[in-house]
Amino acid sequence: MYELLRNNIEKKIPLTNEEWELILENVKQVKLKKNDYLQNQDSNSKYEAFVLKGVFKIYQMNESGAESILFFAFDNDWISDVESFYHDKLTRYNIKALEDCEILVINKNDKTKLFKEVPKLLKFHTLLIEKTNIVMQDRLLDILNKTSKQRYIDFINKYPVKAQRINDRNLSSYLGVSHEFLCKIKKTI
């Protein structure tokens, strides 16, 4: 399963076997059960994680108790609260397992050490941050410029297999609509 991580990295940069061994020395495998939290809102984010298996929702709980899902993370995705992880600020998000999950985690000190031992990982990190920024910009533009129905259609067309792993309550939160409204959208399609 660790090969999923190696393949993810090597899509952007090549690794020697020695560099791969250094990476393995600095990551730790963690298993989470469905509904376990990797991170709780208003805590300190201790880890950056790579999803080997499972689905996570990244969301914020507002003062009235409603949740707003920002993203989902699936197999082969990276997850963390970047601001909290790198700047020691309290997290703004919850990261919750929607299925039984297996992840690889790295803490900030080990990641800093790894950047020194394998400097080309900085390039990978930069490319990862660029990709994340593009995804966030696209999500923001979708929210600003598309109807709920268009966002739903785009989501199920772009992620047909992934969409089957998310229940309607979570999908409606992600789309920013009520569960009832999502049901109406689905009936019209």
Side-chain angles (χ1 to χ4, degrees), residues 68-79:
S68 298
I69 297 178
L70 304 166
F71 297 101
F72 295 104
F74 296 88
D75 314 345
N76 208 32
D77 284 338
W78 291 88
I79 50 176

Side-chain angles (χ1 to χ4, degrees), residues 84-100:
S84 178
F85 183 76
Y86 287 104
H87 300 288
D88 298 319
K89 293 188 176 187
L90 293 179
T91 61
R92 294 188 282 170
Y93 317 113
N94 295 293
I95 301 177
K96 184 178 182 179
L98 297 179
E99 301 174 349
D100 290 348

